[in-house]
Amino acid sequence: MKNNWKKNIVLFLISQILSLFGSSLVQYAILWYITLNTKSGLMMTISIICGFLPTFFLSPFAGVWADRYNRKVLIMLSDSFIAITTLLMAILFLMGYESMGLLFVMSAFRAAGAGVQTPAIGAFIPQIVPEEQLTKVNGINGSIQAMIMLISPMLSGALLTMATIEVIFFIDVITAAAAVLVLVFFLKVSAHEKAQNLQKVSYFKDLREGIDYIKGHTYVKKFFIFCAFFFFLVSPVAFLTPLQVTRSFGDDVWRLTAIEIAFSIGMMLGGTLMASWGGFKNKVHTMVFSSLLTGICTIAFGVTPIFWFYLIIMGIIGVSMPLFHTPSTVLLQEKVEADFLGRVFGVLGMISSSMMPLGMLIFGPMADVVQIEWLLIGTGICMFIQSFFLIGSKDLVEAGRPKA
């Protein structure tokens, strides 16, 4: 199967580009629609919770599905579900049923589809890519995603000024359909070995075995503990910066577009850097550097009074993201046995989809009574200090060492 890995990964990435492009347009349209129409930290919190809770509840199930069933089929089904949901929402908006509540409901349904898709993608890539190429492929994938994130906010902002939000919904439906067609007609990949065999154990036994595997895998367990705290602390910089910009610098659409563009350019550079350089020899050292840089940049967001300097910081934090995400993803893909990959990525999705909304439950309402700048300074200091947990763990550092 991996003899044709270059052709397979190109086709798969084309499908993901189409799917991600439409989803990004909708994501930015909803975010800006809520931000510009409410300027409320509480409304932002509700939206974010709706976009994460379904993923939290579905992730453990989706992880088992990714290990038991054909991962390509799961990706296609989830893409189709998201497209149908978006189509229904576009029709309702055209009929005049515009409301924040409908946007929240759509965010929840889209999150449910993403909850199924994410662990399937994480487990599918090492199924078709040789292990020694995983860092390069994940780095390239990160750069492509960043490029889409660079284009989509500009296009989304332009469409919102020239057309209605329904137009963006329809674009997402078309791109999702195209993504599914690429997988159906062009990507010919057999299901992994476990999916081809009749399952001899029950679903819940599979789930329990996955949890036991994580408990017994010291590197994975400690890494997940780090991620839980990190996702909690990163929620203000991830979700409250658009609100901070509208309050501190102005509520112009171009400002919101500018911060997304700066972040996307940074991510694109970071992904390219990881694809060409690959990071430090020890992958955990690259992750530590990224985590320290994220903490410093978060503190800087809270103290800068100049918007153009704010954009530079946003670009730097964008660079730091692939420097953490790429080596951490590759380490899981390398260290975790193939039959457990879906469940491990499912649990990781459950952690991210619970800790970030939990952070917003606290920091979101606080943003209406406390300056967002103070929240960023406090969480940035905590992230900087937490980074030393990675470098101080012998198990994590040992796992990050290159193979002999």
Side-chain angles (χ1 to χ4, degrees), residues 182-197:
V182 170
L183 293 180
V184 171
F185 293 108
F186 299 102
L187 183 59
K188 305 299 181 183
V189 176
S190 302
H192 56 289
E193 185 177 350
K194 185 175 180 179
Q196 295 180 28
N197 300 323

Side-chain angles (χ1 to χ4, degrees), residues 62-319:
V64 175
W65 296 337
D67 286 336
R68 290 172 72 97
Y69 306 118
N70 190 316
R71 290 159 181 164
K72 190 184 87 165
V73 172
L74 285 174
I75 294 168
M76 292 189 299
L77 289 175
S78 57
D79 253 340
S80 300
F81 175 77
I82 293 171
I84 292 169
T85 300
T86 309
L87 177 61
L88 290 174
M89 186 60 57
I91 293 170
L92 287 172
F93 265 59
L94 283 173
M95 293 172 64
Y97 296 104
E98 292 188 27
S99 71
M100 291 293 171
L102 278 177
L103 289 177
F104 295 154
V105 169
M106 186 176 82
S107 294
F109 278 109
R110 289 172 63 85
V116 174
Q117 190 178 65
T118 302
I121 291 174
F124 186 67
I125 288 178
Q127 183 182 325
I128 60 175
V129 176
E131 185 176 304
E132 65 274 12
Q133 299 293 335
L134 283 173
T135 298
K136 178 176 286 189
V137 168
N138 280 285
I140 292 170
N141 189 30
S143 295
I144 291 171
Q145 291 179 8
M147 191 178 299
I148 293 170
M149 290 174 65
L150 171 64
I151 297 170
S152 54
M154 292 187 287
L155 184 56
S156 184
L159 287 171
L160 280 176
T161 57
M162 296 186 297
T164 60
I165 196 171
E166 296 89 345
V167 172
I168 299 177
F169 291 164
F170 282 116
I171 292 173
D172 184 35
V173 173
I174 294 169
T175 55
V180 171
L181 291 174
V182 170
L183 293 180
V184 171
F185 293 108
F186 299 102
L187 183 59
K188 305 299 181 183
V189 176
S190 302
H192 56 289
E193 185 177 350
K194 185 175 180 179
Q196 295 180 28
N197 300 323
L198 183 67
Q199 303 302 313
K200 298 179 181 179
V201 299
S202 68
Y203 168 85
F204 287 102
K205 186 176 181 182
D206 250 354
L207 178 60
R208 188 167 61 251
E209 285 179 357
I211 294 171
D212 291 340
Y213 179 86
I214 292 170
K215 287 180 179 178
H217 202 300
T218 309
Y219 161 74
V220 177
K221 183 170 63 176
K222 289 189 175 182
F223 175 64
F224 281 4
I225 292 171
F226 172 86
C227 285
F229 286 99
F230 183 81
F231 287 138
F232 176 81
L233 293 171
V234 84
S235 54
V237 71
F239 299 119
L240 292 178
T241 44
L243 192 58
Q244 180 197 12
V245 167
T246 59
R247 290 179 181 178
S248 302
F249 299 106
D251 59 358
D252 309 286
V253 173
W254 74 265
R255 293 185 189 275
L256 297 177
T257 307
I259 61 172
E260 297 298 340
I261 290 172
F263 181 76
S264 300
I265 290 174
M267 276 196 66
M268 192 162 54
L269 293 173
T272 303
L273 183 64
M274 286 305 301
S276 57
W277 169 47
F280 297 115
K281 289 184 178 180
N282 190 313
K283 292 182 175 66
V284 171
H285 291 167
T286 311
M287 293 156 62
V288 171
F289 175 71
S290 169
S291 185
L292 289 169
L293 193 59
T294 302
I296 293 170
C297 288
T298 304
I299 297 169
F301 279 136
V303 297
T304 179
I306 303 169
F307 184 66
W308 294 110
F309 188 59
Y310 190 97
L311 292 179
I312 293 172
I313 300 168
M314 187 64 77
I316 295 172
I317 207 170
V319 171

